[in-house]
Protein backbone atom coordinates (compact mmCIF):
# COMPACT_ATOMS: atom_id res chain seq x y z
CA UNK A 1 0.00 0.00 0.00
CA UNK A 2 1.49 3.34 -1.02
CA UNK A 3 1.01 6.34 1.22
CA UNK A 4 2.05 9.95 0.79
CA UNK A 5 0.65 11.02 4.14
CA UNK A 6 2.68 8.81 6.42
CA UNK A 7 1.03 6.65 9.07
CA UNK A 8 1.54 6.88 12.80
CA UNK A 9 5.03 5.38 12.70
CA UNK A 10 7.02 8.46 11.71
CA UNK A 11 10.74 8.03 12.01
CA UNK A 12 10.88 11.01 14.36
CA UNK A 13 8.91 14.03 15.54
CA UNK A 14 10.49 16.31 12.92
CA UNK A 15 9.07 14.10 10.17
CA UNK A 16 5.64 13.99 11.83
CA UNK A 17 5.58 17.76 12.41
CA UNK A 18 6.52 18.34 8.77
CA UNK A 19 3.80 15.96 7.55
CA UNK A 20 1.20 17.80 9.63
CA UNK A 21 2.52 21.34 8.96
CA UNK A 22 3.06 21.80 12.72
CA UNK A 23 5.97 24.27 12.73
CA UNK A 24 8.24 25.34 15.61
CA UNK A 25 6.04 28.46 15.97
CA UNK A 26 2.94 26.24 16.29
CA UNK A 27 4.75 24.09 18.84
CA UNK A 28 5.51 27.19 20.92
CA UNK A 29 1.75 27.73 21.43
CA UNK A 30 -0.07 26.67 24.57
CA UNK A 31 -2.69 24.27 23.20
CA UNK A 32 -5.91 23.71 25.13
CA UNK A 33 -7.58 20.31 24.62
CA UNK A 34 -11.09 20.20 26.07
CA UNK A 35 -12.34 16.61 26.32
CA UNK A 36 -8.78 15.33 26.75
CA UNK A 37 -9.95 12.07 28.35
CA UNK A 38 -12.16 11.11 25.39
CA UNK A 39 -11.34 9.16 22.23
CA UNK A 40 -10.54 12.21 20.07
CA UNK A 41 -8.90 14.20 22.88
CA UNK A 42 -6.51 11.37 23.73
CA UNK A 43 -5.68 10.92 20.04
CA UNK A 44 -4.98 14.62 19.67
CA UNK A 45 -2.55 14.47 22.60
CA UNK A 46 -0.87 11.49 20.91
CA UNK A 47 -0.56 13.37 17.60
CA UNK A 48 0.75 16.51 19.33
CA UNK A 49 3.41 14.41 21.10
CA UNK A 50 4.31 12.69 17.83
CA UNK A 51 4.76 16.12 16.23
CA UNK A 52 7.16 17.22 18.97
CA UNK A 53 4.79 19.42 20.96
CA UNK A 54 6.10 19.69 24.52
CA UNK A 55 3.73 18.43 27.22
CA UNK A 56 4.28 21.64 29.24
CA UNK A 57 2.64 23.49 26.32
CA UNK A 58 -0.54 21.39 26.54
CA UNK A 59 -3.51 22.26 28.78
CA UNK A 60 -5.82 19.24 29.16
CA UNK A 61 -9.41 19.70 30.38
CA UNK A 62 -12.24 17.30 31.20
CA UNK A 63 -15.14 17.15 33.63
CA UNK A 64 -12.97 16.57 36.67
CA UNK A 65 -9.36 17.04 37.81
CA UNK A 66 -7.23 14.00 37.09
CA UNK A 67 -4.21 12.66 35.28
CA UNK A 68 -3.53 10.69 32.13
CA UNK A 69 -0.55 9.20 30.34
CA UNK A 70 0.10 9.36 26.59
CA UNK A 71 3.32 8.18 24.89
CA UNK A 72 5.07 7.79 28.27
CA UNK A 73 4.19 11.38 29.12
CA UNK A 74 2.07 12.33 32.12
CA UNK A 75 -0.55 15.06 31.73
CA UNK A 76 -2.44 16.84 34.45
CA UNK A 77 -6.14 17.10 33.64
CA UNK A 78 -7.91 20.21 34.95
CA UNK A 79 -11.65 20.38 35.62
CA UNK A 80 -13.21 22.52 32.90
CA UNK A 81 -14.83 24.74 35.53
CA UNK A 82 -11.34 25.90 36.55
CA UNK A 83 -9.96 26.48 33.02
CA UNK A 84 -7.81 29.60 32.59
CA UNK A 85 -8.27 30.55 28.93
CA UNK A 86 -5.66 33.32 29.21
CA UNK A 87 -3.18 30.47 29.53
CA UNK A 88 -4.11 29.06 26.06
CA UNK A 89 -3.20 30.26 22.55
CA UNK A 90 -5.49 27.89 20.62
CA UNK A 91 -8.24 25.52 21.80
CA UNK A 92 -9.53 22.21 20.43
CA UNK A 93 -13.06 21.28 21.50
CA UNK A 94 -13.11 17.45 21.56
CA UNK A 95 -16.50 17.66 23.21
CA UNK A 96 -20.17 16.84 22.71
CA UNK A 97 -22.06 19.41 20.58
CA UNK A 98 -23.97 20.98 23.46
CA UNK A 99 -20.75 21.72 25.34
CA UNK A 100 -19.11 23.09 22.16
CA UNK A 101 -22.10 25.39 21.68
CA UNK A 102 -21.64 26.67 25.21
CA UNK A 103 -17.85 27.14 25.05
CA UNK A 104 -17.06 28.29 21.50
CA UNK A 105 -18.77 31.72 21.66
CA UNK A 106 -16.96 32.56 24.92
CA UNK A 107 -13.58 31.55 23.53
CA UNK A 108 -14.09 33.39 20.26
CA UNK A 109 -15.16 36.51 22.19
CA UNK A 110 -11.80 36.25 23.98
CA UNK A 111 -10.13 36.14 20.50
CA UNK A 112 -8.97 32.54 20.94
CA UNK A 113 -8.84 30.37 17.79
CA UNK A 114 -11.11 27.32 18.26
CA UNK A 115 -11.24 24.08 16.27
CA UNK A 116 -14.49 22.32 17.11
CA UNK A 117 -14.67 18.56 16.50
CA UNK A 118 -18.39 18.35 17.21
CA UNK A 119 -21.28 18.87 14.79
CA UNK A 120 -22.38 22.11 16.49
CA UNK A 121 -21.18 24.59 13.83
CA UNK A 122 -20.60 22.43 10.74
CA UNK A 123 -23.50 23.82 8.76
CA UNK A 124 -23.26 27.42 9.97
CA UNK A 125 -22.52 29.51 6.87
CA UNK A 126 -19.98 31.83 8.53
CA UNK A 127 -17.99 28.95 10.07
CA UNK A 128 -15.65 27.15 7.66
CA UNK A 129 -15.99 23.36 7.53
CA UNK A 130 -12.59 22.17 6.42
CA UNK A 131 -10.72 19.14 5.12
CA UNK A 132 -7.43 20.91 4.28
CA UNK A 133 -6.58 18.70 1.26
CA UNK A 134 -9.97 19.51 -0.33
CA UNK A 135 -11.10 23.00 0.66
CA UNK A 136 -8.25 24.39 2.77
CA UNK A 137 -8.52 27.53 0.62
CA UNK A 138 -11.71 28.59 2.45
CA UNK A 139 -9.61 29.10 5.57
CA UNK A 140 -7.79 32.35 6.29
CA UNK A 141 -4.87 32.37 8.71
CA UNK A 142 -6.94 34.53 11.08
CA UNK A 143 -10.17 32.53 11.30
CA UNK A 144 -11.24 32.09 14.91
CA UNK A 145 -13.86 29.29 14.78
CA UNK A 146 -13.43 26.35 12.42
CA UNK A 147 -15.61 23.24 12.27
CA UNK A 148 -14.04 19.81 11.81
CA UNK A 149 -16.16 17.47 9.67
CA UNK A 150 -18.07 14.31 10.54
CA UNK A 151 -15.68 11.34 10.46
CA UNK A 152 -17.47 9.35 7.73
CA UNK A 153 -17.80 12.49 5.63
CA UNK A 154 -14.07 13.29 5.81
CA UNK A 155 -13.13 9.73 4.85
CA UNK A 156 -15.56 9.53 1.91
CA UNK A 157 -14.82 13.05 0.67
CA UNK A 158 -11.08 12.64 0.08
CA UNK A 159 -11.52 10.17 -2.84
CA UNK A 160 -14.78 11.85 -3.94
CA UNK A 161 -12.92 15.18 -4.32
CA UNK A 162 -10.48 13.53 -6.75
CA UNK A 163 -13.35 12.16 -8.85
CA UNK A 164 -15.07 15.55 -8.78
CA UNK A 165 -11.88 17.19 -10.10
CA UNK A 166 -11.27 14.57 -12.82
CA UNK A 167 -14.74 14.00 -14.27
CA UNK A 168 -17.39 15.73 -12.13
CA UNK A 169 -19.76 13.92 -9.78
CA UNK A 170 -23.38 13.44 -10.83
CA UNK A 171 -24.59 11.08 -8.08
CA UNK A 172 -23.02 9.53 -4.97
CA UNK A 173 -24.30 6.50 -3.03
CA UNK A 174 -22.51 5.71 0.24
CA UNK A 175 -22.95 2.77 2.60
CA UNK A 176 -20.87 3.10 5.77
CA UNK A 177 -19.51 0.47 8.17
CA UNK A 178 -18.66 2.49 11.27
CA UNK A 179 -16.49 1.43 14.19
CA UNK A 180 -17.58 1.36 17.82
CA UNK A 181 -15.07 4.07 18.81
CA UNK A 182 -16.99 6.47 16.57
CA UNK A 183 -19.23 6.69 19.63
CA UNK A 184 -16.20 7.65 21.74
CA UNK A 185 -14.80 5.88 24.77
CA UNK A 186 -18.27 4.61 25.82
CA UNK A 187 -18.71 2.98 22.39
CA UNK A 188 -15.33 1.26 22.50
CA UNK A 189 -15.82 0.05 26.08
CA UNK A 190 -19.26 -1.32 25.21
CA UNK A 191 -17.96 -3.33 22.26
CA UNK A 192 -15.01 -4.69 24.28
CA UNK A 193 -17.33 -5.72 27.11
CA UNK A 194 -19.82 -7.37 24.74
CA UNK A 195 -17.07 -9.21 22.79
CA UNK A 196 -15.65 -10.64 26.02
CA UNK A 197 -19.14 -11.68 27.12
CA UNK A 198 -19.80 -13.29 23.71
CA UNK A 199 -16.54 -15.24 24.05
CA UNK A 200 -17.54 -16.39 27.53
CA UNK A 201 -14.76 -14.43 29.28
CA UNK A 202 -15.93 -13.49 32.80
CA UNK A 203 -16.44 -9.73 33.10
CA UNK A 204 -13.82 -7.96 35.20
CA UNK A 205 -15.73 -4.70 35.20
CA UNK A 206 -19.30 -3.46 35.38
CA UNK A 207 -21.34 -3.46 32.18
CA UNK A 208 -20.90 0.01 30.61
CA UNK A 209 -23.92 2.07 29.56
CA UNK A 210 -24.17 1.39 25.82
CA UNK A 211 -24.50 4.30 23.38
CA UNK A 212 -25.86 1.89 20.74
CA UNK A 213 -29.44 1.07 19.76
CA UNK A 214 -28.81 -2.71 20.10
CA UNK A 215 -26.07 -5.15 21.15
CA UNK A 216 -23.11 -4.57 18.81
CA UNK A 217 -20.98 -7.71 19.29
CA UNK A 218 -21.63 -10.22 16.45
CA UNK A 219 -24.11 -7.74 15.00
CA UNK A 220 -24.66 -4.93 12.49
CA UNK A 221 -26.88 -2.00 13.46
CA UNK A 222 -28.41 -0.05 10.56
CA UNK A 223 -28.87 3.71 10.96
CA UNK A 224 -26.51 5.62 13.26
CA UNK A 225 -28.24 8.22 15.47
CA UNK A 226 -32.00 8.73 15.57
CA UNK A 227 -34.04 8.32 12.40
CA UNK A 228 -36.07 11.37 11.39
CA UNK A 229 -39.60 11.50 9.96
CA UNK A 230 -38.06 11.37 6.45
CA UNK A 231 -36.44 8.00 7.30
CA UNK A 232 -32.93 9.50 7.22
CA UNK A 233 -30.80 9.10 10.36
CA UNK A 234 -28.92 11.94 12.03
CA UNK A 235 -25.57 10.56 10.87
CA UNK A 236 -26.85 10.09 7.31
CA UNK A 237 -28.08 13.69 7.22
CA UNK A 238 -24.61 14.88 8.35
CA UNK A 239 -22.87 12.94 5.59
CA UNK A 240 -25.28 14.27 2.95
CA UNK A 241 -25.13 17.93 4.02
CA UNK A 242 -21.42 18.06 4.86
CA UNK A 243 -20.36 16.27 1.66
CA UNK A 244 -22.23 18.86 -0.38
CA UNK A 245 -20.65 21.69 1.62
CA UNK A 246 -17.06 20.42 1.55
CA UNK A 247 -17.20 19.58 -2.17
CA UNK A 248 -18.99 22.90 -2.85
CA UNK A 249 -21.74 21.01 -4.65
CA UNK A 250 -25.05 21.96 -2.99
CA UNK A 251 -26.86 20.33 -5.92
CA UNK A 252 -25.11 16.95 -5.64
CA UNK A 253 -27.30 13.84 -5.30
CA UNK A 254 -26.00 12.01 -2.20
CA UNK A 255 -27.72 8.87 -0.84
CA UNK A 256 -26.37 7.44 2.41
CA UNK A 257 -27.03 4.40 4.59
CA UNK A 258 -24.96 4.24 7.78
CA UNK A 259 -24.33 1.11 9.83
CA UNK A 260 -22.47 0.42 13.07
CA UNK A 261 -20.30 -2.71 12.92
CA UNK A 262 -18.35 -4.61 15.62
CA UNK A 263 -15.00 -3.08 14.65
CA UNK A 264 -12.98 -1.19 17.28
CA UNK A 265 -11.52 1.48 15.07
CA UNK A 266 -11.66 2.81 11.45
CA UNK A 267 -14.76 3.58 9.42
CA UNK A 268 -15.24 1.94 6.02
CA UNK A 269 -17.40 3.17 3.15
CA UNK A 270 -18.62 1.39 0.02
CA UNK A 271 -19.18 4.14 -2.54
CA UNK A 272 -20.94 3.94 -5.90
CA UNK A 273 -20.88 7.05 -8.06
CA UNK A 274 -22.06 8.26 -11.41
CA UNK A 275 -19.85 10.88 -13.02
CA UNK A 276 -20.76 13.77 -15.33
CA UNK A 277 -18.06 12.92 -17.87
CA UNK A 278 -16.46 9.68 -19.02
CA UNK A 279 -13.11 8.75 -17.46
CA UNK A 280 -10.14 6.48 -18.05
CA UNK A 281 -9.98 4.08 -15.10
CA UNK A 282 -6.14 3.79 -15.02
CA UNK A 283 -5.87 7.58 -15.19
CA UNK A 284 -8.37 8.03 -12.36
CA UNK A 285 -6.57 5.46 -10.19
CA UNK A 286 -3.25 7.25 -10.83
CA UNK A 287 -4.81 10.61 -9.88
CA UNK A 288 -6.21 9.03 -6.72
CA UNK A 289 -2.80 7.54 -5.81
CA UNK A 290 -1.12 10.93 -6.31
CA UNK A 291 -3.64 12.87 -4.22
CA UNK A 292 -2.56 14.05 -0.76
CA UNK A 293 -4.06 12.16 2.17
CA UNK A 294 -4.93 9.07 0.08
CA UNK A 295 -3.22 5.71 -0.32
CA UNK A 296 -4.38 3.30 -3.02
CA UNK A 297 -4.29 -0.46 -2.69
CA UNK A 298 -4.77 -3.14 -5.35
CA UNK A 299 -5.40 -5.81 -2.71
CA UNK A 300 -8.59 -7.50 -4.01
CA UNK A 301 -9.76 -7.93 -0.40
CA UNK A 302 -8.63 -4.56 0.92
CA UNK A 303 -8.43 -2.08 2.43
CA UNK A 304 -9.60 -3.31 5.84
CA UNK A 305 -10.19 -1.44 9.12
CA UNK A 306 -8.05 -3.72 11.27
CA UNK A 307 -4.95 -3.01 9.19
CA UNK A 308 -5.69 0.70 8.77
CA UNK A 309 -6.01 1.48 12.50
CA UNK A 310 -3.50 4.13 13.56
CA UNK A 311 -2.68 5.32 10.02
CA UNK A 312 -3.13 8.80 8.62
CA UNK A 313 -4.09 8.27 4.97
CA UNK A 314 -7.53 7.23 3.75
CA UNK A 315 -6.94 3.88 2.03
CA UNK A 316 -8.88 3.39 -1.19
CA UNK A 317 -9.27 0.06 -2.97
CA UNK A 318 -11.54 -2.03 -5.15
CA UNK A 319 -11.65 0.89 -7.61
CA UNK A 320 -13.58 -0.42 -10.58
CA UNK A 321 -15.93 0.63 -13.36
CA UNK A 322 -19.56 0.00 -12.47
CA UNK A 323 -22.03 -1.95 -14.55
CA UNK A 324 -24.36 1.02 -15.13
CA UNK A 325 -22.57 2.17 -18.29
CA UNK A 326 -20.28 5.13 -18.89
CA UNK A 327 -19.54 7.24 -15.83
CA UNK A 328 -20.31 4.43 -13.41
CA UNK A 329 -17.63 3.85 -10.75
CA UNK A 330 -17.32 1.94 -7.46
CA UNK A 331 -14.71 1.92 -4.67
CA UNK A 332 -14.18 0.96 -1.04
CA UNK A 333 -12.38 3.32 1.36
CA UNK A 334 -11.19 2.95 4.95
CA UNK A 335 -9.91 5.66 7.25
CA UNK A 336 -8.97 5.90 10.91
CA UNK A 337 -11.92 7.98 11.99
CA UNK A 338 -10.22 9.14 15.20
CA UNK A 339 -7.26 10.44 13.18
CA UNK A 340 -8.20 11.74 9.70
CA UNK A 341 -11.88 11.67 10.64
CA UNK A 342 -11.24 13.83 13.71
CA UNK A 343 -8.04 14.74 15.58
CA UNK A 344 -5.47 14.63 12.75
CA UNK A 345 -7.70 16.73 10.51
CA UNK A 346 -8.19 19.17 13.39
CA UNK A 347 -4.42 19.53 13.86
CA UNK A 348 -3.92 20.01 10.11
CA UNK A 349 -6.55 22.79 10.25
CA UNK A 350 -4.83 24.45 13.22
CA UNK A 351 -1.50 24.20 11.36
CA UNK A 352 -2.97 26.51 8.70
CA UNK A 353 -3.74 29.25 11.24
CA UNK A 354 -1.21 31.89 12.27
CA UNK A 355 0.64 30.68 15.36
CA UNK A 356 -0.46 32.79 18.32
CA UNK A 357 2.21 32.23 20.97
CA UNK A 358 4.25 35.20 22.15
CA UNK A 359 1.61 37.93 21.72
CA UNK A 360 -0.27 39.75 24.44
CA UNK A 361 -1.56 36.90 26.67
CA UNK A 362 -0.86 34.56 23.75
CA UNK A 363 -2.72 36.68 21.17
CA UNK A 364 -0.99 38.76 18.48
CA UNK A 365 0.20 42.12 19.79
N1 LIG B 1 -14.95 9.32 18.20
C1 LIG B 1 -14.87 9.66 16.93
O1 LIG B 1 -14.50 8.84 16.08
C2 LIG B 1 -15.24 11.05 16.47
C3 LIG B 1 -14.96 11.41 15.16
C4 LIG B 1 -15.30 12.68 14.70
C5 LIG B 1 -15.90 13.58 15.57
N2 LIG B 1 -16.17 13.19 16.84
C6 LIG B 1 -16.81 14.20 17.72
O2 LIG B 1 -15.80 14.63 18.66
C7 LIG B 1 -16.43 14.98 19.91
C8 LIG B 1 -15.75 14.16 21.01
O3 LIG B 1 -16.01 12.78 20.72
P1 LIG B 1 -15.23 11.61 21.48
O4 LIG B 1 -15.48 10.41 20.65
O5 LIG B 1 -13.85 12.01 21.81
O6 LIG B 1 -16.12 11.50 22.82
P2 LIG B 1 -15.80 10.77 24.20
O7 LIG B 1 -14.80 9.71 24.03
O8 LIG B 1 -17.12 10.42 24.78
O9 LIG B 1 -15.15 11.95 25.08
C9 LIG B 1 -15.90 13.09 25.45
C10 LIG B 1 -14.98 14.03 26.19
O10 LIG B 1 -15.71 15.22 26.53
C11 LIG B 1 -15.59 15.45 27.93
N3 LIG B 1 -16.84 16.04 28.45
C12 LIG B 1 -18.11 15.66 28.17
N4 LIG B 1 -18.98 16.43 28.85
C13 LIG B 1 -18.25 17.31 29.56
C14 LIG B 1 -18.55 18.39 30.44
N5 LIG B 1 -19.80 18.71 30.74
N6 LIG B 1 -17.51 19.09 30.98
C15 LIG B 1 -16.24 18.79 30.69
N7 LIG B 1 -15.87 17.78 29.86
C16 LIG B 1 -16.86 17.06 29.30
C17 LIG B 1 -15.37 14.08 28.54
O11 LIG B 1 -14.74 14.25 29.80
P3 LIG B 1 -14.93 13.15 30.97
O12 LIG B 1 -14.03 11.99 30.61
O13 LIG B 1 -14.45 13.87 32.17
O14 LIG B 1 -16.38 12.79 30.99
C18 LIG B 1 -14.43 13.46 27.51
O15 LIG B 1 -13.11 13.93 27.71
C19 LIG B 1 -17.92 14.68 19.73
O16 LIG B 1 -18.60 15.87 19.39
C20 LIG B 1 -17.95 13.69 18.58
O17 LIG B 1 -19.16 13.72 17.86
C21 LIG B 1 -15.84 11.97 17.32
Amino acid sequence: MSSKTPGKAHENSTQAAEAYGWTAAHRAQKVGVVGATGATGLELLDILMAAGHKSENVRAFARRDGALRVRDTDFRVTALARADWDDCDVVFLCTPSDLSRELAPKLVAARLPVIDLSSAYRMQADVPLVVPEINGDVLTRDHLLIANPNCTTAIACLPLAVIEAVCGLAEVIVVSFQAASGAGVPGLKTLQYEMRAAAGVPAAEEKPASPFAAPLALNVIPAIADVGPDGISGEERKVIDETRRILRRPDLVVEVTTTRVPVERCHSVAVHVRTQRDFSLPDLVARMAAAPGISVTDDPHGPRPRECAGTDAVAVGRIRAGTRGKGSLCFFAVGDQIRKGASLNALQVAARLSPRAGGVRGRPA
Side-chain angles (χ1 to χ4, degrees), residues 35-41 62-64 80 94-97 99 117-119 122 149 151 181-186 337-338 341-342:
T37 50
T40 57
R63 238 179 273 258
R64 283 171 279 280
L80 183 59
C94 304
T95 45
S97 299
L99 185 53
L117 279 72
S118 85
S119 61
R122 289 180 192 153
C151 38
S181 56
V185 169
Q337 95 288 349
I338 314 182

Side-chain angles (χ1 to χ4, degrees), residues 322-352:
T323 58
R324 295 183 292 161
K326 278 186 181 175
S328 164
L329 179 77
C330 313
F331 66 86
F332 193 78
V334 179
D336 187 324
Q337 95 288 349
I338 314 182
R339 291 181 77 83
K340 187 57 195 169
S343 310
L344 171 61
N345 193 78
L347 189 87
Q348 291 170 320
V349 165
R352 289 186 168 234

Side-chain angles (χ1 to χ4, degrees), residues 279-305:
F279 55 85
S280 139
L281 190 61
D283 180 52
L284 189 65
V285 171
R287 288 282 293 270
M288 199 82 90
I294 294 180
S295 68
V296 166
T297 177
D298 56 7
D299 180 344
H301 299 287
R304 295 175 294 273

Side-chain angles (χ1 to χ4, degrees), residues 140-200:
T140 68
R141 287 178 66 76
D142 299 320
H143 260 114
L144 283 179
L145 176 59
I146 302 110
N148 213 50
N150 166 273
C151 38
T152 303
T153 310
I155 290 162
C157 274
L158 274 170
L160 285 174
V162 177
I163 301 169
E164 168 72 358
V166 171
C167 46
L169 288 163
E171 173 190 291
V172 176
I173 300 169
V174 179
V175 179
S176 76
F177 308 85
Q178 298 184 218
S181 56
V185 169
L188 184 60
K189 283 193 170 158
T190 296
L191 177 63
Q192 290 170 339
Y193 181 93
E194 290 181 1
M195 292 296 272
R196 281 195 291 271

